[in-house]
């Protein structure tokens, strides 16, 4: 297919050039009716923010320009079918979990998954079996569950119809997904992959193999995270003999807006076009730039820049392993004071994401690094609490079904009373939005120790009053 064209963006552009008169929604009437103070920023975009007018197709029953744009994306990524998502990978993951319920009574889920997977489990009513991630000493983080753990879970729970994995993780680290797919397909189990951070893996072998190329059945990707697309713009791809595409389409129209944003969809058309236009030479200049960024960052004493293992780690992700005397969050604040904003910080890491074009602002970066280097010695040392390892069962089911839990009484308990109780809510440090404690899980001393430790390190949680305690089931 001709990847140089952008049928959806092109049609919107032509339509706006006709200066149409709007007697339809949206209320901004192609930008004619809008708050003055916002016009300078919004004026260019509002004429593209249209609705399902004649010739502009319908996301939920596409036959025209949206279908063409989706088909081009399917062709470039190597999918049987691609759906545009306007509610982020969050919407894709919800639809994926609703589909998982069609595939079997139980689903095997990587425990350190994004909260949208957990929310999807709750909505779908499918029974989760959680597989604990392994700890990778080399990168000092939990990564994916071992293949053996997944095999063990499948032996124990023959009702499993799908495996749900996060690939790569937030830091761009991948694992041998092909081996998992092979094992799963032997049991006629579908592999559903949250590849939110890997939309660019189809570009080249310099990146880890893409989930679709590894044989996954459904793959969800946030185009807005690693490709140049607008926030929330994402893809869901299917390549499978197990999945019924009509099921996925049904759940997507249930979850996504009936008035999907045309600028978001057009940005997906443009992002696919941008990816398809990355030549070998351009890619090399991007990778050279990532290497230079690694080198510049390595010039400061106070952290170690994590090595990139070819085929395993995403070279666009640059992780600083901060010296043990400070937390990643403390050091990240110094960067922010210089107007440099990393993607995230944890108690021991800071993550930078390089774009899909060579970085330009080297002088500004170097000046900032010199200042940060000078300020590091004034940072107070972190609490000497030391890092805490988190004990978890390798294969775990919940104490009650989500339906039962939702009918039970909930009571807020202080941490001193919470041990041995069942959590009525998940505890999720954000970012990266991966649960430490699951809704329906028995609270252990290890959970409490870990949560207290992270609170002391200044990590954010999306739970109210997390410093005091948690809602438990009674
Ligand atoms: C692994 C993972 N999956 C899904 C999501 C949700 O993606 P989105 O922001 O596109 O809804 C995120 C967001 O950070 C994520 O890290």
């Amino acid at each position: 297919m001709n990847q140089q064209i952008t049928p959806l963006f092109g049609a919107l552009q032509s339509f706006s050039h006709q200066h149409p008169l709007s007697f339809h929604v949206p209320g901004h009437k192609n930008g004619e009716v809008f708050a003055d103070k916002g016009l300078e920023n919004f004026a260019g975009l509002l004429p593209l923010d249209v609705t399902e007018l004649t010739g502009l197709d319908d996301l939920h029953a596409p036959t025209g320009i949206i279908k063409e744009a989706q088909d081009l994306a399917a062709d470039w990524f190597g999918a049987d079918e691609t759906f545009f998502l306007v509610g982020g990978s969050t919407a894709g993951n919800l639809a994926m979990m609703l589909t998982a319920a069609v595939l079997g009574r139980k689903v095997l889920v990587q425990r350190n998954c994004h909260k949208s997977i957990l929310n999807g489990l709750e909505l779908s009513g499918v029974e989760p079996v959680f597989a604990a991630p392994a700890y990778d000493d080399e990168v000092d983080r939990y990564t994916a569950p071992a293949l053996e753990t997944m095999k063990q879970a499948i032996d124990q729970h023959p009702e499993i119809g799908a495996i749900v994995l996060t690939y790569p993780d937030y830091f761009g680290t991948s694992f041998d997904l092909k081996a998992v797919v092979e094992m799963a397909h032997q049991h006629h189990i579908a592999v559903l992959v949250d590849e939110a951070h890997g939309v660019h893996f189809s570009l080249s072998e310099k990146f880890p193999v893409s989930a679709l190329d590894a044989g996954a059945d459904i793959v969800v990707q946030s185009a807005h995270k690693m490709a140049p697309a607008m926030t929330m713009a994402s893809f869901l791809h299917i390549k499978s003999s197990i999945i019924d595409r009509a099921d996925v389409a049904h759940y997507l129209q249930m979850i996504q807006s009936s008035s999907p944003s045309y600028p978001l969809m057009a940005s997906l058309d443009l992002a696919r076009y941008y990816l398809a236009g990355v030549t070998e030479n351009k890619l090399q200049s991007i990778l050279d730039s990532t290497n230079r960024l690694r080198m510049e960052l390595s010039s400061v004493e106070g952290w170690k820049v994590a090595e990139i293992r070819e085929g395993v780690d995403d070279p666009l992700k640059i992780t600083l392993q901060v010296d043990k005397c400070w937390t990643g969050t403390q050091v990240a604040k110094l960067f922010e004071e210089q107007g440099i904003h990393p993607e995230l910080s944890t108690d021991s890491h800071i993550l930078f994401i390089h774009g899909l074009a060579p970085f330009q602002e080297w002088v500004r970066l170097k000046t900032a690094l010199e200042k940060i280097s000078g300020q590091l010695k004034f940072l107070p040392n972190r609490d000497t609490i030391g890092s805490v390892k988190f004990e978890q069962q390798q294969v775990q089911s919940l104490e009650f079904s989500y339906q039962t839990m939702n009918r039970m009484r909930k009571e807020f308990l202080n941490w001193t009373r919470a041990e041995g109780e069942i959590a009525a809510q998940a505890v999720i440090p954000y970012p990266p939005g991966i649960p430490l404690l699951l809704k329906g899980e028995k609270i252990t001393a290890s959970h409490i120790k870990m949560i207290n430790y992270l609170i002391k390190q200044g990590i954010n949680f999306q739970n109210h009053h997390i410093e005091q305690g948690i809602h438990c089931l009674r």
Side-chain angles (χ1 to χ4, degrees):
M1 291 176 92
N2 178 6
Q3 292 290 338
Q4 299 306 307
I5 57 169
T6 48
L8 176 51
F9 171 68
L12 295 179
Q13 212 181 22
S14 311
F15 183 73
S16 78
H17 286 160
Q18 294 162 23
H19 301 291
L21 293 181
S22 165
F23 287 98
H24 54 77
V25 298
H28 61 66
K29 309 291 176 194
N30 303 323
E32 294 297 322
V33 184
F34 206 67
D36 285 348
K37 63 159 105 174
L39 262 183
E40 191 192 334
N41 297 100
F42 279 75
L45 199 59
L46 291 174
L48 303 188
D49 186 35
V50 289
T51 186
E52 289 82 3
L53 301 172
T54 305
L56 296 187
D57 212 359
D58 176 352
L59 177 66
H60 298 297
T63 54
I65 51 173
I66 295 177
K67 179 168 183 339
E68 276 177 58
Q70 290 189 150
D71 287 350
L72 278 163
D75 177 60
W76 191 77
F77 286 100
D80 293 340
E81 183 159 358
T82 293
F83 296 85
F84 283 1
L85 305 175
V86 290
S89 284
T90 297
N93 283 345
L94 293 179
M96 193 159 78
M97 299 319 296
L98 288 164
T99 308
V102 178
L103 300 171
R105 194 164 65 78
K106 294 188 181 176
V107 59
L108 179 60
V109 184
Q110 173 175 350
R111 184 197 160 99
N112 51 341
C113 61
H114 188 259
K115 62 180 182 169
S116 53
I117 297 283
L118 296 173
N119 290 335
L121 286 173
E122 191 166 342
L123 282 177
S124 73
V126 68
E127 211 177 298
V129 175
F130 290 98
Y135 195 83
D136 183 343
D137 286 317
E138 222 176 303
V139 291
D140 201 14
R141 287 194 316 268
Y142 286 98
T143 52
L147 186 61
E148 274 315 309
T149 307
M150 292 189 244
K151 281 186 185 157
Q152 189 190 328
I154 288 169
D155 287 346
Q156 286 173 14
H157 301 273
E159 310 88 337
I160 287 172
I163 302 181
V164 182
L165 296 166
T166 309
Y167 171 99
D169 68 9
Y170 215 119
F171 292 85
T173 300
S174 68
F175 55 91
D176 189 358
L177 181 58
K178 276 187 185 161
V180 182
V181 170
E182 219 167 88
M183 184 272 291
H185 284 176
Q186 275 166 10
H187 294 80
H188 200 67
I189 291 173
V191 179
L192 316 182
V193 178
D194 175 356
E195 200 181 31
H197 297 273
V199 71
H200 56 306
F201 284 1
S202 300
L203 273 175
S204 149
E205 283 165 10
K206 304 246 163 76
F207 297 102
V209 62
S210 76
L212 277 172
D213 285 348
D217 295 86
I218 305 184
V219 178
V220 171
Q221 300 172 326
S222 295
H224 66 96
K225 290 195 196 299
M226 297 301 292
M230 282 175 70
T231 294
M232 295 209 290
S234 303
F235 296 115
L236 184 150
H237 308 289
I238 303 177
K239 190 177 181 188
S240 178
S241 55
I242 304 178
I243 305 294
D244 185 341
R245 295 192 227 166
D247 285 337
V248 179
H250 170 69
Y251 290 124
L252 280 175
Q253 61 78 33
M254 207 184 243
I255 282 174
Q256 301 216 88
S257 169
S258 59
S259 313
S261 157
Y262 273 83
L264 285 186
M265 292 190 281
S267 88
L268 283 169
D269 199 19
L270 288 166
R272 182 271 313 152
Y273 161 84
Y274 186 94
L275 287 168
V278 176
T279 57
E280 285 268 309
N281 278 349
K282 179 157 185 193
L283 183 62
Q284 196 49 55
S285 64
I286 296 168
L287 294 176
D288 289 347
S289 175
T290 64
N291 287 335
R292 179 163 174 201
L293 181 55
R294 277 200 173 77
M295 206 182 68
E296 298 292 353
L297 286 164
S298 302
S299 68
V300 177
E301 278 181 35
W303 54 70
K304 187 171 151 272
V305 179
E307 296 285 328
I308 295 293
R309 296 159 297 179
E310 202 173 319
V312 175
D313 296 307
D314 179 356
L316 297 187
K317 299 266 171 112
I318 296 159
T319 304
L320 306 189
Q321 290 165 324
V322 172
D323 276 2
K324 295 276 181 229
C325 49
W326 306 300
T327 67
T329 310
Q330 272 179 305
V331 176
K333 282 212 173 81
L334 296 184
F335 276 94
E336 284 174 4
E337 280 161 22
Q338 297 304 318
I340 295 175
H341 297 269
E343 167 65 12
L344 70 81
S345 59
T346 68
D347 61 323
S348 47
H349 299 98
I350 308 178
L351 174 67
F352 291 80
I353 302 182
H354 192 290
L356 273 174
F359 180 70
Q360 304 293 342
E361 304 241 22
W362 295 110
V363 176
R364 193 168 157 202
L365 179 77
K366 277 184 173 184
T367 313
L369 283 175
E370 274 162 27
K371 286 196 185 140
I372 292 166
S373 174
Q375 286 163 349
L376 275 172
K377 54 180 172 293
F378 299 113
L379 271 188
N381 280 7
R382 74 195 284 174
D383 289 346
T384 49
I385 187 166
S387 76
V388 174
K389 272 230 175 130
F390 182 43
E391 289 153 28
Q392 47 194 333
Q393 289 175 38
Q394 286 307 296
V395 177
Q396 187 184 3
S397 304
L398 297 179
E399 300 288 326
F400 304 104
S401 73
Y402 288 113
Q403 287 71 13
T404 306
M405 285 192 260
N406 290 343
R407 284 193 296 269
M408 289 169 83
R409 201 166 64 76
K410 284 115 198 148
E411 190 182 345
F412 187 85
L413 295 181
N414 284 336
W415 286 120
T416 47
R417 290 177 56 206
E419 190 179 337
E421 301 290 339
I422 311 284
Q425 58 183 143
V427 174
I428 306 179
Y430 207 89
I434 286 167
L436 258 182
L437 179 62
L438 300 164
K439 174 171 172 173
E441 187 174 18
K442 193 176 265 182
I443 303 168
T444 63
S446 173
H447 287 125
I448 300 175
K449 202 166 156 195
M450 189 65 166
I451 291 163
N452 277 326
Y453 168 72
L454 292 179
I455 292 170
K456 283 209 176 103
Q457 306 306 334
I459 300 297
N460 289 322
F461 290 84
Q462 288 185 331
N463 303 71
H464 291 300
H465 309 301
I466 186 74
E467 326 72 42
Q468 289 155 34
I470 184 168
H471 278 97
C472 297
L473 296 173
R474 310 303 281 164

